[in-house]
Amino acid sequence: MTRTLVLGGARSGKSAYAEQIAAASGKEVVYIATAQAGDGEMVARIAHHRQQRPAVWTTVEEPIALGDAVQRWCAPQRVILVDCLTLWLSNLLFSGPADFPDVGTITLPPAFHEQRARFLQALEQASGNIVLVSNEIGMGVVPYGAVSRCFTDEAGRLNQAVAARCEHAVLVAAGLPLVLKGIPC
């Protein structure tokens, strides 16, 4: 069993690299998609991703209960590809009542901590190979506005927690992988 985190910026090639890892495994692939079609542009992105995936891959759409989906689908004969953790994080941040004041303490939705903990536990207990895609967004300026700062902070914390549980971590830039942890995937 191996867990691999693939990080990168927007349009860096991280998803394509993660898909290569999954395809090269020779195992059954279960693709867990976390995106939600909230507007026309996102509908088009999701459709494009669906068309690009091999027809033999099983696709599971799970915007919130990612830990439950990992537990349900993880098996030694499979590789699970989760794309992407930052979309999932956005879904969690806006999954219920939250307070994002301009100044002061941010109150996250009740499901946030519970779902995050379930996912990290499922990742630790995984009985098969998992490839996780996430955006590395902490290399820029500190965002303006409480919501953006909260998202950036939580994405950084999530990436750190996931990387600590993975045997491999790769940063993809301009379509080129840079191994951060473990041997090349």
Side-chain angles (χ1 to χ4, degrees):
M1 177 210 58
T2 60
R3 294 162 292 201
T4 303
L5 175 61
V6 179
L7 297 162
R11 300 293 162 254
S12 63
K14 64 189 174 297
S15 292
Y17 184 75
E19 290 171 5
Q20 290 173 5
I21 294 170
S25 73
K27 296 182 178 191
E28 172 189 349
V29 177
V30 174
Y31 186 105
I32 301 178
T34 62
Q36 295 185 80
D39 59 32
E41 189 268 343
M42 200 60 173
V43 168
R45 282 179 182 247
I46 291 170
H48 176 74
H49 276 273
R50 283 180 185 151
Q51 291 171 353
Q52 294 219 334
R53 272 182 240 137
V56 296
W57 288 10
T58 300
T59 299
V60 175
E61 295 183 357
E62 183 47 65
I64 299 292
L66 183 55
D68 293 344
V70 167
Q71 284 183 326
R72 183 175 331 127
W73 289 97
C74 202
Q77 76 276 12
R78 290 185 184 130
V79 61
I80 292 177
L81 191 153
V82 176
D83 196 356
C84 95
L85 294 180
T86 41
L87 283 174
W88 174 68
L89 180 66
S90 292
N91 298 339
L92 286 181
L93 286 173
F94 299 105
S95 65
D99 185 21
F100 298 104
D102 289 334
V103 177
T105 304
I106 291 176
T107 304
L108 298 172
F112 178 85
H113 295 291
E114 177 188 337
Q115 290 299 329
R116 186 181 185 278
R118 279 187 185 177
F119 166 67
L120 293 173
Q121 181 180 25
L123 187 57
E124 288 176 355
Q125 298 171 348
S127 61
N129 295 355
I130 301 178
V131 181
L132 305 131
V133 177
S134 190
N135 287 282
E136 177 49 68
I137 60 171
M139 297 172 126
V141 298
V142 176
Y144 179 79
V147 174
S148 298
R149 285 190 302 275
C150 176
F151 176 76
T152 300
D153 291 349
E154 292 303 331
R157 289 182 186 115
L158 179 64
N159 285 344
Q160 288 181 58
V162 170
R165 289 161 173 82
C166 288
E167 289 78 22
H168 308 283
V170 178
L171 177 67
V172 179
L176 302 172
L178 174 65
V179 176
L180 302 175
K181 180 180 181 183
I183 58 172
C185 305

